[in-house]
Amino acid sequence: MKFVDEFRDAALGRAVAGEILSLVEPGRHYKVMEVCGGHTHSIYKYGVDDLLPANVELVHGPGCPVCVIPMGRVDDGIAIAKVPGVIFTCFGDMMRVPGSGGSLLDAKAAGADVRMVYSPLDALRIAKQNPDKQVVFFAIGFETTAPSTALTLKRARAEGVKNFSCICSHVTIVPPLRALLESPDLRLDGFIGPGHVSTVVGARPFEFIPDDYRKPVVVAGFEPLDILQAIAMILRQLAEGRCEVENQYKRVVPYEGNLRALEVLAEVFELRPHFEWRGLGFISHSGLKLSEAYADLDAELRFSVPGVRVADPKACQCGEVLKGVIKPWECKVFGTACTPERPIGTCMVSSEGACAAYYNFGRFAREREVV
Amino acid sequence: MTVVRTDEDRGLALCADAEGARHAVETALVEPLAAGRVVLVHAGVAIASLAGEVAP
């Protein structure tokens, strides 16, 4: 298929794998974090890690939008979904994320009108088709998804749609990365930067990683050759004693980002003082809420929500997985009590979650044998 | 996705995905598009327009 096959070329892949082998220092262990869940998915889908030398370890980061939503936020969404006369809309993955008393899918089974949408614009369309109902969109995701919510809110405003609102759980990528870099649990050698987030924010926001922490960052695409090349670029920086932000995904990511999208984000959202992340706890200035100008479309103000912090189930180790401290198969409930069909933790829900990626692409048996 | 046709008045483009399925895509965040252009679409919104023969 045009535009795809050339980035999955086996011979080229083997050539880059050879380059990677030539760049590693014998006896040194390299830990490279892929920040984005999309990369985690690609790595296991295409077996990218099988092409790496044993001393190059890929560590999975916190960039899975569904995975980082804490149970309390799910409970807030369910509370609104249960209000009579509400049509509650969300992305498909979000429907299966467990809250303290079940998921949105459970709420739907119990009679709530919960609908899956592909885009917040679909939720706005539902609002226009149902003027006698209140339609609420559960907005999640990093800077990749936030522009879509922002444009939808601008359309709602421009078209005078009064029965539409949004419960905003959008998050930003830089604060959790800084939190991880400050964490004593983890020693990392470099980062594969998130390609799609960078389409919006650009590569520049990651400059603090080489500047403050002396680690290389390579913003990368999502095809197997993209990821292999990014790993080679990180290892080359390390071999040459450099650390800087490089952009492997130039065909999509402008270094300065998408300025129109950034403008829209600045107009519609503002930073929350702090936001709770699953497993990572409260991180300052890491979440978005609707700005004053759009407060009338804020579902958290329009409806009453519990807003209570709910601790993760004791058996669940999503926090450690999201921080890259443990591998998915090291979690006590991985593949036994927690599966994609009956997830306990968020990392098993989304296809971008590290646990789901391991489970769905057969890493379960192989990694267990290693143990 | 590849742009099939554009509707500049409504700020939309009809785009085809890799399987040929067609989607209405919001185009406010990218430069003016023409048929045949490849765009990166996220949650119904084009967030990047690709130059040259490259893969999203």
Side-chain angles (χ1 to χ4, degrees), chain A residues 190-207:
Chain A
F191 289 87
I192 301 174
H196 289 159
V197 165
S198 303
T199 304
V200 174
V201 302
R204 187 177 296 284
F206 303 106
E207 286 178 353

Side-chain angles (χ1 to χ4, degrees), chain B residues 32-51:
Chain B
L33 296 169
R37 191 75 183 229
V38 177
V39 286
L40 178 64
V41 177
H42 197 84
V45 174
I47 54 172
S49 160
L50 282 67

Side-chain angles (χ1 to χ4, degrees), chain A residues 3 119 145 148 155 251 258 260, chain B residues 10 29-30 42-43 47 55:
Chain A
F3 303 149
S119 157
T145 324
S148 180
R155 278 208 172 213
R251 64 185 189 272
N258 182 331
R260 294 182 201 200
Chain B
R10 295 165 67 202
L29 302 183
V30 291
H42 197 84
I47 54 172

